[in-house]
Amino acid sequence: MSDVWILRSIGGRDRATGAPLRGVLAAADYHNHAVPLEEEFCGAVGRLVAAGLVAADPAGDRYWLTAAGVPLAERRGSFAAVLADLERVALPAAPPWRLPAGTFRAAVDAYLG
């Protein structure tokens, strides 16, 4: 479920309009009434990047949907319906994807502060 949650929370279609991490966390809170844990976020982003659905530039603080990710993120319906679509895409196992130390906590604090 975290894959769908994060996919739907990442905005923008290119690096210039992609969302900063704080914005992704705010959207995630809106969608699921919770802020993801760092492990949930990093796990989902790693799988979504490996599948070619999301692109990420942590150094530039930007996360955006790829052309392949846009239709899935914009699909109307339940999380379960989008999850079924993601399962058809067969998200690959990805090596651990991590943010620089302190980055996630700083974004959470900025969002909640």
Side-chain angles (χ1 to χ4, degrees), residues 18-79:
L21 180 53
R22 181 185 182 281
V24 175
L25 297 175
D29 192 14
Y30 171 80
H31 288 297
N32 202 35
H33 308 292
V35 175
L37 299 174
E38 184 170 3
E39 296 77 25
E40 290 174 308
F41 177 80
C42 289
V45 169
R47 289 184 294 274
L48 294 167
V49 166
L53 302 174
V54 163
D57 177 12
D61 192 28
R62 284 287 177 256
Y63 302 84
W64 64 96
L65 301 169
T66 65
V70 169
L72 284 173
E74 293 179 348
R75 185 184 190 287
R76 297 292 172 227
S78 68
F79 271 37

Side-chain angles (χ1 to χ4, degrees), residues 6 23 26 77:
I6 300 305

